[in-house]
Amino acid sequence: NIKDWEVMDELPLEAQTGSDPPQVMTPPGLCQGYLLKSRKWPLKGWHKRYFVLEAGILRYSKNQHDISRGRIQGSLDVSVAVMSINKKTNRVDLDTGDILYHVKAKSRELFYIWVTKLQAHRAFKKNEAAHHIHNGFSQGPTLRPRAGFAQRNGDLSSPGLLYSGHEAGPTQVPLSTNTEVNGKVSAWLQHSQDQDSCVQELNRCQLDVSELSRLTQRLQALEAGQPITNGDLQRIISIQNLCLEKPKKSKSCRMWGHSRTMSRVEALGMPIRGMTKSLSSSHLSSSSAPSVSSIPDYVCSQLSPPVVVSPEGKRIQQDFCTVSLRVVASLKTVHDSLSQERQRLQEASGTLTQTQSSSPPEAGAPSLCDSAEEYFDASGHVLGASLSEASDESGLSEGTSNSEPDEGRALETHKYRTSVSQAPSSLVSKSRGRRTTLLAHCPDNSHVGLMAILYNNIGKDLSRVSMPAPLNEPINLLQRLCEELEYSDLLDTASRTPDPYQRMVIIAAFAISGYSTAIFRNRYKPFNPVLGETYECVRDDMGFRLISEQVCHHPPISACHAESENFSFWQDQRWKNKFWGKSLEIVPTGMVNVTLPSYGDHYEWNKVVTCIHNVLSQQRYLEHYGEVTIANLNSPVCTCKITFVKTRYWGSDASRNEVQGTVLDQSGSVVHRFGGLWHEGIYCDTLPTPTCIWKPNAQPKDYLLYYGFSAFAMELNELTPDLLPLLPPTDSRLRPDQRMLEDGLVDESDKKKDEVEEVQRGRRKVMTKRGEDHQPRFFKKAKDSSGRDVWLTNGSYWKLRESPGFSNVEEMALW
């Protein structure tokens, strides 16, 4: 229910709204544990994944062991994500534009903790970016996380990356056997005078840390018996490092042995054992927040009491901050010294590189520069190696590994793409007496308040939301169904192919070809047809004719049927549009059907999800992901599986829009393999003669000025004088608002669009009062072989068109 969803903006903590001037926000603590995450392919439930939230980055993998080894399946920056929550279902949706996570907690208490943590990390990173609160520490030590959380490539020019917390311990850089280089390094070690000062600063840090421990013990005495408010509890959860994984009984004595679950107070060596007793479940039960009335004990044991606000406590806090600043200053001095030494080390490394360019080192003696590169790239190597072991599920709506293509997919895709690029280009067909441009260019819709429209409808089906006309393109969803027949010549070819396996490959290419034009169509949306609207397309040059009708409005269902001497094509599509903050998902349901009378085949397949990323910016792009299964309902000889591969988090633009497919026989053995990119072409190398099966036509000149339309799409809404008397009044080409938009009358189109929709509402109200339901004129409802509801043609359209003609049919006006 849309009413159950709430968009989270800022962190509602009492600590941020006190009477004192706001201080530097406390960095939020780490949070880790299991959550349920939606699978990649829609409507297939949830799976368990281990999440870690650290420094504003949410990462996940299959389990804690994979996280610790650096096998990250996905990563998301929560500070740039739109966060929506559903308290009834314990769900959290995070949308960054190119990545979308749907997660939910198993219990109300864990949901409360995760939401609090996510808000704290979002608020801290936004505050840090907006106010530059860490200017004094920007040159300070950079703590590099372990391999599992490290960046792919270390930056040798950035200070603070020389030392790392890698599990293997500090790396000792081996020296080269080159005597000249060894002499330079020896001279560097002899003349280095900052080592003693570093030791002195570290000794002072040790004394200051002891003082911090004493101040903490004094705070413990003041904190005993202090009441815990809801704001205190939120602040405690925000700043503490929490592990939400329920400990196993066999390892209860080592429950919190993981070094990363220590709080910042523990990391400084402060004795806080026993302090958690004051934060018992009874305190939490008395909290004003009903959602935290029963936080698990293993979570309570990690929470330290809140900081007191008494005068003496404030004074101790000030002393604590003063000593902490001294520690930071000492560490900064140490860091500056190490940075200088590191620079000298790099100079020695540069000299070594020049020496090795003329005289390569002996085997088994790696150079200083090579060793440094190997060390700093180690994390990236670990991540890259893990891709073949983990189910690479980063990005939008991740899923199971068995949906991914086989190993070696990248090599196959490169081979397919090379083969497609070498195939002769398909040119736009010669002039058929149809138009090649539109009357007006597409309008600029940057002034439309799209953000306000979408944010008011997060999680809602956008098919029920009225959009301004400047956001539309001058064709509608009924015409989009016809656009899938642009490459109907593939069906003609399939009807002449005797081999059933090769025929299935051609049918698969046709199923993929329907997505090709989407690469240029991410700036505008098609019009939503009104109930009873129709569209016909007669293409003598291509050998088919099509009729489509809007048969239902809630939910919106569009049905079509095309017939030819060589094939029949029909489908009824239901689209659900969901906006998640920065991404728009279009989830189609319904099956596509094709029959080939020459062989008695009846093919049926599903469609995949379409997602528009960064929908609120000008850098939006579109992708398809999911699996398509093609079955021949009249013959079990073979089946086909096509995978539209989800763009990977670490993937390049060159691998975007990847598609792979296989044709299987009755035993499940692979007969043919094919693949490529759905916007460039499909190649099959297992045919007797390996060839490019399909390649899209070239786009017409200045296509970006005309909504990104292909030559075929340009002709869909064309209204010629000889066609006008034959069309029914319900045809989309006669819809006034769509026609005005095509003619460049944007403002008039927007007003007329409201009028058309209001007329439709009026008709629906009248029918509701009469107790009547809308009955489609040219389609009928039936059941398919699987028991699903389908809409099939009743065969009356072309008969009425021929006799008596639609001009003699009454009650067909829609606008």
Side-chain angles (χ1 to χ4, degrees), residues 385-649:
S386 66
L387 292 179
S388 61
E389 302 173 18
S391 61
D392 186 4
E393 302 175 29
S394 59
L396 243 135
S397 303
E398 282 70 13
T400 55
S401 59
N402 57 7
S403 296
E404 299 294 337
D406 301 332
E407 294 183 2
R409 171 193 51 76
L411 181 61
E412 290 294 325
T413 299
H414 178 73
K415 177 180 66 175
Y416 289 144
R417 187 173 188 179
T418 302
S419 302
V420 169
S421 63
Q422 293 174 352
S425 300
S426 300
L427 301 177
V428 178
S429 56
K430 296 181 180 180
S431 176
R432 299 185 291 262
R434 297 178 180 268
R435 65 182 184 184
T436 57
T437 61
L438 303 181
L439 294 179
H441 293 169
C442 53
D444 179 17
N445 55 18
S446 59
H447 64 283
V448 179
L450 181 60
M451 181 178 295
I453 298 174
L454 295 179
Y455 266 76
N456 291 331
N457 296 279
I458 285 183
K460 190 174 181 180
D461 187 355
L462 294 183
S463 62
R464 300 194 177 195
V465 179
S466 179
M467 295 289 184
L471 296 178
N472 291 357
E473 59 187 13
I475 62 173
N476 65 17
L477 290 174
L478 298 177
Q479 294 164 309
R480 276 287 186 99
L481 293 179
C482 179
E483 197 172 353
E484 297 181 21
L485 288 173
E486 179 175 358
Y487 301 97
S488 61
D489 58 306
L490 289 171
L491 298 180
D492 297 329
T493 303
S495 67
R496 299 188 296 267
T497 303
D499 185 271
Y501 302 104
Q502 297 181 23
R503 196 158 62 243
M504 180 65 81
V505 173
I506 299 173
I507 294 295
F510 172 77
I512 297 171
S513 68
Y515 297 94
S516 61
T517 58
I519 192 70
F520 310 107
R521 308 276 284 279
N522 54 23
R523 298 171 56 198
Y524 303 88
K525 62 173 287 293
F527 276 84
N528 292 329
V530 299
L531 187 61
E533 186 172 346
T534 63
Y535 175 74
E536 74 161 50
C537 182
V538 180
R539 298 300 299 255
D540 296 331
D541 55 330
M542 302 177 70
F544 73 84
R545 63 181 184 180
L546 173 140
I547 171 60
S548 56
E549 181 180 4
Q550 188 73 3
V551 297
C552 185
H553 191 64
H554 292 309
I557 301 177
S558 304
C560 73
H561 182 92
E563 54 190 37
S564 166
E565 293 182 357
N566 299 323
F567 65 87
S568 292
F569 168 90
W570 72 91
Q571 62 174 316
D572 58 271
Q573 287 298 319
R574 304 162 177 84
W575 287 273
K576 289 185 177 180
N577 306 316
K578 292 297 182 66
F579 176 63
W580 299 109
K582 291 187 178 180
S583 304
L584 179 65
E585 278 188 326
I586 304 172
V587 184
T589 58
M591 307 296 287
V592 183
N593 295 265
V594 168
T595 59
L596 301 179
S598 56
Y599 297 104
D601 291 337
H602 180 180
Y603 299 97
E604 182 184 73
W605 65 87
N606 61 291
K607 288 189 173 182
V608 297
V609 176
T610 298
C611 184
I612 302 176
H613 298 280
N614 300 322
V615 69
L616 297 178
S617 70
Q618 297 300 319
Q619 288 74 37
R620 67 176 66 100
Y621 65 95
L622 181 148
E623 70 170 331
H624 309 290
Y625 52 83
E627 283 188 350
V628 174
T629 301
I630 306 178
N632 188 345
L633 302 183
N634 294 339
S635 173
V637 172
C638 61
T639 57
C640 179
K641 291 186 178 180
I642 309 172
T643 299
F644 287 74
V645 182
K646 178 73 180 67
T647 302
R648 285 158 174 75
Y649 181 73

Side-chain angles (χ1 to χ4, degrees), residues 177-205:
T177 55
N178 188 289
T179 55
E180 180 181 355
V181 174
N182 286 340
K184 289 184 176 292
V185 175
S186 300
W188 164 65
L189 294 174
Q190 292 175 0
H191 291 86
S192 180
Q193 301 177 354
D194 292 333
Q195 297 179 1
D196 294 337
S197 62
C198 290
V199 173
Q200 295 175 3
E201 292 292 344
L202 291 175
N203 289 335
R204 278 194 289 268
C205 285

Side-chain angles (χ1 to χ4, degrees), residues 665-676:
D665 60 15
Q666 287 181 275
S667 63
S669 301
V670 176
V671 180
H672 291 299
R673 294 183 183 273
F674 57 89

Side-chain angles (χ1 to χ4, degrees), residues 199-383:
V199 173
Q200 295 175 3
E201 292 292 344
L202 291 175
N203 289 335
R204 278 194 289 268
C205 285
Q206 183 177 5
L207 296 176
D208 289 336
V209 168
S210 300
E211 176 65 14
L212 291 175
S213 178
R214 185 186 66 81
L215 294 175
T216 303
Q217 292 177 0
R218 294 184 59 187
L219 285 175
Q220 293 176 18
L222 294 174
E223 291 166 353
Q226 292 288 335
I228 300 175
T229 65
N230 184 41
D232 289 335
L233 183 61
Q234 286 183 319
R235 182 154 46 89
I236 293 169
I237 292 176
S238 299
I239 65 176
Q240 293 296 316
N241 287 343
L242 299 178
C243 180
L244 304 183
E245 179 188 3
K246 189 173 183 179
K248 298 180 180 179
K249 294 182 179 180
S250 59
K251 298 182 180 180
S252 57
C253 59
R254 304 178 58 222
M255 188 187 315
W256 311 117
H258 198 290
S259 61
R260 299 191 66 82
T261 62
M262 295 175 61
S263 66
R264 285 176 169 79
V265 180
E266 290 175 314
L268 292 175
M270 301 181 184
I272 68 168
R273 298 182 183 275
M275 291 174 56
T276 56
K277 294 181 179 180
S278 62
L279 189 63
S280 62
S281 297
S282 61
H283 286 99
L284 297 176
S285 299
S286 62
S287 173
S288 60
S291 59
V292 296
S293 59
S294 58
I295 289 181
D297 292 337
Y298 67 90
V299 178
C300 293
S301 62
Q302 302 175 68
L303 303 177
S304 58
V307 179
V308 297
V309 294
S310 63
E312 185 178 0
K314 288 186 176 180
R315 182 177 57 81
I316 296 177
Q317 289 178 358
Q318 292 176 357
D319 295 341
F320 193 97
C321 293
T322 302
V323 178
S324 299
L325 290 176
R326 290 207 305 265
V327 173
V328 171
S330 298
L331 291 177
K332 185 176 185 301
T333 302
V334 174
H335 170 265
D336 293 340
S337 300
L338 292 177
S339 298
Q340 294 177 4
E341 299 303 320
R342 181 173 181 273
Q343 181 65 29
R344 298 177 64 182
L345 179 63
Q346 286 182 336
E347 293 176 358
S349 173
T351 304
L352 175 61
T353 304
Q354 296 177 359
T355 303
Q356 289 182 339
S357 62
S358 57
S359 177
E362 297 179 3
S367 68
L368 189 64
C369 182
D370 292 341
S371 300
E373 289 183 357
E374 180 180 358
Y375 175 73
F376 287 116
D377 287 340
S379 59
H381 175 73
V382 172
L383 292 175

